[in-house]
Amino acid sequence: AQSVTQLDSQVPVFEEAPVELRCNYSSSVSVYLFWYVQYPNQGLQLLLKYLSGSTLVKGINGFEAEFNKSQTSFHLRKPSVHISDTAEYFCAVNPPGNQFYFGTGTSLTVIP
Amino acid sequence: GAVVSQHPSRVICKSGTSVKIECRSLDFQATTMFWYRQFPKKSLMLMATSNEGSKATYEQGVEKDKFLINHASLTLSTLTVTSAHPEDSSFYICSARERMGPQETQYFGPGTRLLVL
């Protein structure tokens, strides 16, 4: 069985400050790991993904995430946020060939 | 990258009517597509797995007679919400799985927002 936990439902942060959105998962099989962003009334946009190889993954819009196998975590980070980063962020795991399992989402609000 | 489209992007209908949502893989063949539902300010939950040429596999608690899924071709899956009611109002998102040899990738559609009055 797979599950994804996003520990913070809401994260307020000031503009140009760094941010970390936490994601922990559990799985009985190997999984791929993803972060998606969803802007109001829009679909999912892929930020980044980890399939294999280097545990530090760089994505779009200056985001990066680090896969930590021992801690079963895949935290998302950005060194300096912008107002336009205000959105809902979803962490997801995907056992190859299977459905996606999503976390409950983290609402990031960037404060001017 | 590969693109998945959904049509319509937004639909408003009266209670009791049926609504069909299309999910298309535009430049690849998808033997498997997934249908998700997202409630307001909630996460996405898998409703069913759609397999080309065979019956869909529904998740527990999803009424198969209410949410009819047809995957008639390798590039099209449809979700029909029959006799829609206000509680069916939601954001419906599909994904399509592309296989290239041993590699596979899933792509999400932009979603369809359904409002039942």
Side-chain angles (χ1 to χ4, degrees), chain A residues 12-35:
Chain A
V13 62
F14 285 103
E15 193 176 12
E16 297 183 4
V19 70
E20 178 180 82
L21 306 183
R22 296 180 293 170
C23 174
N24 287 88
Y25 71 94
S26 67
S27 177
S28 53
V29 299
S30 295
V31 294
Y32 300 145
L33 297 155
F34 298 78
W35 274 99

Side-chain angles (χ1 to χ4, degrees), chain B residues 23-96:
Chain B
C23 176
R24 290 182 186 273
S25 56
L26 297 184
D27 53 2
F28 66 98
Q29 294 183 332
T31 54
T32 302
M33 292 184 176
F34 301 89
W35 285 97
Y36 296 83
R37 180 174 180 177
Q38 184 180 31
F39 292 97
K41 300 190 183 298
K42 297 285 187 184
S43 188
L44 285 78
M45 299 299 295
L46 181 70
M47 297 174 65
T49 303
S50 170
N51 297 299
E52 188 268 336
S54 64
K55 290 184 179 180
T57 305
Y58 289 81
E59 295 300 299
Q60 193 172 14
V62 178
E63 299 176 61
K64 58 182 68 177
D65 292 333
K66 180 165 187 63
F67 298 100
L68 299 179
I69 291 173
N70 187 314
H71 195 154
S73 79
L74 287 171
T75 59
L76 174 64
S77 175
T78 60
L79 167 67
T80 302
V81 184
T82 62
S83 186
H85 290 287
E87 59 265 30
D88 299 323
S89 298
S90 197
F91 194 51
Y92 294 87
I93 300 177
C94 72
S95 73

Side-chain angles (χ1 to χ4, degrees), chain A residues 25-79:
Chain A
Y25 71 94
S26 67
S27 177
S28 53
V29 299
S30 295
V31 294
Y32 300 145
L33 297 155
F34 298 78
W35 274 99
Y36 287 89
V37 60
Q38 186 178 36
Y39 298 101
N41 299 312
Q42 294 190 26
L44 299 176
Q45 181 178 3
L46 178 66
L47 275 178
L48 47 79
K49 61 184 176 184
Y50 173 78
L51 304 182
S52 65
S54 173
T55 57
L56 183 62
V57 181
K58 294 190 182 297
I60 62 171
N61 301 341
F63 284 94
E64 63 179 33
E66 185 154 21
F67 169 55
N68 188 318
K69 188 174 183 178
S70 62
Q71 296 185 4
T72 59
S73 68
F74 191 54
H75 301 331
L76 180 72
R77 301 186 186 97
K78 185 169 181 176

